[in-house]
Every structure is written in C-alpha cells, then in structure tokens.
Amino acid sequence: MKVQQISVFIENKTGRLAEVTRVLGGADISIRALSLADTSDFGILRLIVDQTDKAQAILRQDGFTVSKTEVVAIEVPDRPKGLNEILEILEQAGINVEYMYAFVDRRGGRAIIIFRFEDIEKALATLPKSGVQLIKSEIFQTP
Amino acid sequence: MIWNDDFETLPREAIEALQLKRLQQTVARVQATVPFYREHFARAGVSADQIGSLQDLRRLPFTLKQDLRDNYPYGLFAVPLEQIVRIHASSGTTGKPTVVGYTRRDIETWSELMARSFAAAGADKGDVIHNAYGYGLFTGGLGAHYGAERIGASVIPMSGGNTKKQIMIMQDFGSTVLTCTPSYCLFLAEAAAEEGLDIRNFKLRVGIHGAEPWSEKMREEIEQKLGIKAIDIYGLSEILGPGVGIECIEAQNGLHIWEDHFIPEIINPESGEVLPHGEHGELVITTITKEGIPLIRYRTRDITRLLPEPCICGRTHMRLKRMSGRSDDMLIIRGVNVFPSQIESVLFNIEGIDPHYQLVVDREGNLDTLEVQVEVNEKTFSDEVKEMQNLSRRIRKDIKDLLGVTCSVRLVEPKTLARSEGKAVRVIDKRKSLDS
C-alpha cells in the first residue's frame, strides 16, 4: 500500500517551478497531489503523479535532481475531527511523521493525506489494525 | 620508466656542480644581453662575477611577472628575434599578456623535459595520447604535443572544447593517456555519463593533469571516476610551459623538478627570505639553460614546499609538494588566509558531494563574506528539508573547523555552476570590483 512520490530540488529562482510543470505537461503527466517545502535558498517539490517513472526520467533529462520516496496515502473522513483521530492513532503507536500534505477528493467526499513516515514499515503494520483506510496507489494513475 | 638516465639519476654533487656552471653562464649572459637585468643587478649591487657558489644565488634580485609586463612584449628576450622560433603568451586576463619566446634549442629542451615527464607518468611509445590542453598561445597544448611525439607516442591533438567529440574520439581511437586540466577531466567523465557511456570502460590508463591547483581528494575522484592513474604535472609559461616538474607514477607524491634545467627555491612570500627545505612558501625558479628568455629568481606565486628526500623511483631530482594554491589566489577573508584548494578538500571529505563548487567573496559593510555554492546531486538530495539543512550545516561546520572561517552555504541545482574547458574559475571576488 505504498505510494511512490517524486521529489525535485528547486533553487529559489524565478521560473524554476514553471519549468517543472512545463516538462511534466509536455510529457502528458498529470499531477495528483503536490507540496512545496521551501527555505530561503531552495525548495523541495514533492509530487504524486500518474506516471512516476516517466516523470522522474524526463525531469532528470532536463537537468533536475530528482529522488523517489515511498509515502503512504490515508483516507480521512471529510468532517471535523477526521484528521485528529488519525493523528492520535499515530501518536499512540509512536509513529513519527516526517511531513504530510493533504488534498480533498471531491468525488469520494473524503480527504486524502499523504504521509512520509520515519518508519514506513511500522506505519503499514499498525494503521490498518486501527481501522485506518489506506489508499491504493492505483487511484493516482490515469484510468 | 626513466627517459634520460644520465641526467635524471645524477648524484646530488653532480647536479649541483652542473647547476653552478649553468647558473654562472646564464647570469653572465643576461647581464650582457638584457638591459633590464643589467640595470636590475646594478641596482641590487651585484654582478655575474660574484656568483661563486649556489649559495650566491640569493644575492640576485627577484624577477616578477610585472617585470615581464613592463618589458612587453620582447624586452626580456636575451636573443634577437631572428633566433626565436616560437612565441607563446599567458592569457592576459589581468592586463597585457606576458610574452615568452623560444629558440630552436629551447623547443628541444622543452620537448625533452616533456618526454621525461611523460615517461615519469608511465607513458610510452605504444600509447595513444589524447591531448586536450588548449593549442595556441597557451603553452599547454603544444608543450604536451612535442613531448608526446618525442617519446614516440601517437598524439591526438584535440585541444580544448568540443566535449562530445572528445568523448567520441577517446572511445573510438582508443586513447590511453589523457592530458588536460583536472577540472576538465571530471567534466569529460560527467559528459560521457550523460551520453550513457562509462568512461572507465575506455582504454584510458593515465591522466596527466595540471595548469590549476588541485587536491589529493580531487585525484581520488578522478582516479575513481575514470579508472585511471592521475598524475600531477607542473609548469608555467614564463619558465617553460608544462613539464617543469611532474610526479612519477611510482610514488605519486611530489613533483620532480628537473634540476639540471631549473634551480628551485622556496621563499617567505612576504619577506622574500629563503626558507629551508621542507617549509611552505612561494616557489622561486631560476632557469639555467633557457636561451630565449632566461629568468633569474622568478617568483612563481605558487605555494608549495621542497621535498629533498630520495624518491623510490630512483630519480635524484628534488620534488615539489603538490601546489596548495597561489599566493595571488589566496583569499584573505576577515584576516584569514584561505586557498580555494582547502575548501575543495573539505567538500571532498563529505560523502556524496560533487567537485563542482564556487566561492563568492563579497563585503557587507566592512565585513568580508564568503558564500560556498555547492551543487546538489542525487546522492546528496533528500526529500526532507532537515536533511538538506544538515548538509549545509555540515559543510559550514567543517569549513569553520578547518579554516576558522565562517561562511554561508548555498545549495544550487546541478550543472548550474560554470564548467570550464580550461582552468576552472572557482572564485568570484566581488570585493575587487568594489576597490577599483
């Protein structure tokens, strides 16, 4: 139930982000979710796309530094306390979150949160037992 | 292999006797034929007949790069122009170029010393020597070319640039020896990898690299990335060009300076005082066989030390420790002396870091600032901000620990720092433009 995420190193310079989306767009790759972590000098763009390997290859070809990371996508009920319930489960199990970002899946009436865990295996072993709904990577692919 | 056994393994006393004889001849000749030297010696209150021993060398005044500039173009030539068969010049990026001329015998000497150098690096007549030093006014290309022909190797006169073609030829022609600057060498490896080629599978065996200071770590990097032995060569156009000194492949530790043609001294760059063997300082060279433009006690600005100990290769000529920088490249940052090569060695000690870096020195208010720009690659890149910040912090800390200088670190995208086909530009000193 792991989901592949690609990360791209981006200098804080005008037009670099647009260059990434231009390259992806040019290769007909759809972005499903993204987050940008930024510092004063550089940013790290994290992307879930429909064709991970292809995206990684063409971004590399364009001179970007790209890495692939395994993350977990979790379904959260789209209502008050939805996220809090998940975080409490993680806290009780002692599972450390490196970072996370969320988006709302309108069709499914749910929120999806992408988690990068310090120990992904432990998270995968624990979460389903507590009734947390993991999302399969297939939903990010274009049908 | 030793190219010229007679001279390369001369006992010390014989070297010194030969040096004295040749020094006396050279000093007498420049005093007689070069007005600059006649006046220069007179001002210092010394003349050729006072040179009775090698110790007397230090009575003679230094020659500076500025003296070549002041006498531009031909003022320091010791023979009439009709005896000069070749003219080279430095790049002249900081003003008028320094011009040097070679007589037919000088070209012979140069070829001979480059042949010795190739042999010391383990090259032989069966080798295919891929010469990627620039041909032209710069001495690197033709200097290496003539030496390579002298040993009977097959020379490919590539010159610099045109990287894709370099790689194709290197692969198709089966080049076994590569001569180029150390930074260009790594650039070639990188460019080959981009084309999906592993340069380690080529026939290359030895690289002979010089024309810019480089570190031991950079050697390791080159040897590993190209699968070759990387040999350090030294030279400067004012003295001859490449082939003034070279490491032997047996020891790869220090560059034998051909003492039957040059007398090296190490001085304190500030006081001019001659330092004992083993101490760090500026290299001063006196040419004792050159005809076209002999130079007496030329201050090279290169920082090194002399290793007089015998070498395992059997050559008796003293060695120069790898150049740690140039006294005029030395950055003074908030009062601390910093050589770019020191920062380079810090970076190389950090796992995964690429050799591509640039130093930007500036001034804010009255305070010097140093920014170290380092390219991120897939080995050093992490999707976690804290990991990337750890990397910056680590670089900052290691530089502070080693050099005592606080710097800022800027992580930049790969291939954004300028690649050089000749000498790498490592330092951008914005303070210089503030001064002028």
Side-chain angles (χ1 to χ4, degrees):
Chain A
M1 298 287 237
K2 292 171 189 171
V3 173
Q4 302 282 344
Q5 168 197 274
I6 58 171
S7 307
V8 189
F9 180 80
I10 297 179
E11 257 180 80
N12 273 3
K13 276 194 303 201
T14 316
R16 289 312 282 163
L17 196 53
E19 179 64 20
V20 174
T21 51
R22 187 175 320 138
V23 169
L24 293 176
D28 276 332
I29 290 167
S30 280
I31 299 172
R32 300 301 189 200
L34 69 80
S35 101
L36 179 65
D38 62 330
T39 72
S40 56
D41 291 342
F42 62 85
I44 300 172
L45 178 66
R46 300 154 186 153
L47 298 163
I48 310 274
V49 295
D50 60 346
Q51 303 163 77
T52 311
D53 291 337
K54 185 174 171 194
Q56 183 173 20
I58 57 156
L59 283 169
R60 258 186 197 156
Q61 218 171 57
D62 205 55
F64 284 99
T65 303
V66 189
S67 72
K68 203 152 59 166
T69 323
E70 290 179 325
V71 293
V72 179
I74 291 176
E75 180 176 335
V76 180
D78 191 9
R79 57 169 167 76
K81 286 194 197 151
L83 174 59
N84 182 254
E85 282 159 18
I86 306 275
L87 292 178
E88 287 197 347
I89 292 167
L90 293 171
E91 188 191 345
Q92 274 163 26
I95 295 169
N96 203 13
V97 176
E98 297 285 5
Y99 58 77
M100 51 181 270
Y101 49 100
F103 61 101
V104 174
D105 174 15
R106 293 212 176 277
R107 275 171 306 177
R110 58 186 178 176
I112 294 176
I113 305 192
I114 309 289
F115 279 97
R116 164 85 147 95
F117 293 113
E118 197 177 76
D119 184 347
I120 189 169
E121 300 305 334
K122 185 176 174 189
L124 288 176
T126 312
L127 291 172
K129 279 190 253 167
S130 313
V132 175
Q133 195 65 41
L134 302 186
I135 308 258
K136 290 189 185 134
S137 60
E138 287 80 57
I139 77 141
F140 298 107
Q141 279 148 28
T142 302
Chain B
M1 191 194 71
I2 293 179
W3 176 256
N4 186 334
D5 237 334
D6 289 349
F7 283 97
E8 292 181 63
T9 60
L10 268 187
R12 179 109 308 256
E13 313 78 65
I15 292 180
E16 288 178 5
L18 186 62
Q19 283 183 325
L20 178 60
K21 191 181 89 190
R22 289 178 168 178
L23 173 67
Q24 287 168 327
Q25 289 168 348
T26 301
V27 174
R29 195 152 44 84
V30 296
Q31 188 171 297
T33 57
V34 185
F36 163 80
Y37 275 114
R38 194 152 52 236
E39 289 155 28
H40 203 41
F41 292 166
R43 237 176 288 129
V46 59
S47 83
D49 50 27
Q50 291 170 327
I51 306 299
S53 74
L54 283 179
Q55 286 298 310
D56 291 331
L57 177 60
R58 55 184 73 178
R59 300 169 67 167
L60 297 167
F62 296 120
T63 305
L64 308 176
K65 194 175 189 111
Q66 191 58 43
D67 296 323
L68 276 91
R69 291 208 179 110
D70 292 346
N71 291 282
Y72 174 86
Y74 301 139
L76 287 187
F77 284 20
V79 296
L81 215 47
E82 58 260 33
Q83 287 178 40
I84 295 290
V85 300
R86 177 102 64 77
I87 295 168
H88 280 286
S90 71
S91 54
T93 41
T94 51
K96 288 280 191 192
T98 49
V99 180
V100 290
Y102 300 75
T103 64
R104 196 169 299 284
R105 208 189 80 182
D106 288 337
I107 296 286
E108 278 292 304
T109 303
W110 190 9
S111 311
E112 159 74 15
L113 297 188
M114 267 313 288
R116 282 189 198 177
S117 302
F118 274 115
D124 208 342
K125 57 174 177 291
D127 276 305
V128 176
I129 298 182
H130 187 103
N131 187 20
Y133 282 117
Y135 282 66
L137 278 180
F138 173 60
T139 52
L142 282 163
H145 184 100
Y146 274 59
E149 282 189 352
R150 175 68 64 100
I151 65 167
S154 315
V155 198
I156 309 174
M158 281 306 300
S159 195
N162 214 344
T163 302
K164 277 193 177 192
K165 192 166 183 186
Q166 299 259 8
I167 291 162
M168 181 190 82
I169 294 218
M170 217 181 283
Q171 186 178 33
D172 295 350
F173 292 15
S175 310
T176 55
V177 175
L178 170 64
T179 55
C180 64
T181 59
S183 51
Y184 190 53
C185 179
L186 285 174
F187 182 58
L188 283 168
E190 199 174 72
E194 265 169 34
E195 289 179 45
L197 299 169
D198 187 345
I199 202 164
R200 280 172 299 192
N201 298 334
F202 291 14
K203 284 193 174 163
L204 287 175
R205 194 163 59 72
V206 176
I208 298 174
H209 310 297
E212 64 190 22
W214 51 308
S215 65
E216 201 51 37
K217 288 283 173 185
M218 184 130 164
R219 187 216 299 277
E220 285 168 24
E221 185 90 5
I222 289 173
E223 294 199 331
Q224 190 249 323
K225 284 204 170 143
L226 283 91
I228 58 175
K229 284 271 184 197
I231 303 293
D232 194 6
I233 189 167
Y234 177 71
L236 61 171
S237 64
E238 298 91 312
I239 294 302
L240 188 73
V244 173
I246 191 161
E247 286 180 328
C248 55
I249 196 163
E250 292 90 344
Q252 278 185 293
N253 179 21
L255 303 96
H256 291 281
I257 175 161
W258 307 121
E259 285 191 86
D260 48 338
H261 295 269
F262 312 108
I263 304 179
E265 297 171 278
I266 300 291
I267 63 164
N268 175 327
E270 269 123 52
S271 68
E273 169 208 3
V274 177
L275 300 173
H277 293 343
E279 283 191 33
H280 257 104
E282 181 182 330
L283 174 66
V284 170
I285 298 179
T286 299
T287 70
I288 50 174
T289 52
K290 258 174 71 184
E291 295 181 335
I293 173 166
L295 293 180
I296 305 298
R297 303 194 83 199
Y298 183 71
R299 290 187 59 162
T300 65
R301 298 287 170 193
D302 288 311
I303 303 291
T304 180
R305 61 195 178 93
L306 275 172
L307 308 173
E309 302 81 24
C311 181
I312 53 168
C313 69
R315 290 177 185 83
T316 50
H317 297 226
M318 274 195 280
R319 285 172 289 167
L320 303 168
K321 192 68 189 165
R322 166 187 287 288
M323 304 296 143
S324 58
R326 291 178 54 79
S327 62
D328 47 4
D329 267 359
M330 188 177 77
L331 294 164
I332 303 178
I333 297 166
R334 274 166 264 145
V336 181
N337 297 350
V338 175
F339 289 106
S341 57
Q342 292 176 301
I343 298 203
E344 180 179 303
S345 63
V346 169
L347 294 176
F348 272 120
N349 272 324
I350 299 173
E351 179 67 27
I353 291 271
D354 261 354
H356 302 293
Y357 67 96
Q358 200 158 56
L359 309 179
V360 181
V361 188
D362 206 342
R363 191 171 288 154
E364 276 172 22
N366 286 318
L367 208 61
D368 297 328
T369 60
L370 170 65
E371 180 178 86
V372 179
Q373 299 181 341
V374 182
E375 285 186 3
V376 166
N377 61 32
E378 295 200 351
K379 269 183 270 172
T380 51
F381 176 49
S382 160
D383 60 312
E384 291 179 50
V385 173
K386 72 171 186 224
E387 294 292 327
M388 298 305 286
Q389 286 173 334
N390 281 344
L391 177 68
S392 300
R393 207 171 297 131
R394 162 99 198 268
I395 295 170
R396 209 157 53 225
K397 181 180 179 304
D398 286 0
I399 288 173
K400 171 88 184 169
D401 287 351
L402 186 80
L403 304 174
V405 168
T406 309
C407 66
S408 62
V409 171
R410 187 183 180 85
L411 301 175
V412 300
E413 285 177 24
K415 316 233 160 56
T416 51
L417 298 179
R419 298 297 195 265
S420 147
E421 288 172 345
K423 302 186 187 206
V425 179
R426 298 296 196 193
V427 179
I428 298 171
D429 195 340
K430 295 182 175 166
R431 296 174 303 181
K432 285 186 180 154
S433 52
L434 297 176
D435 290 339
S436 56

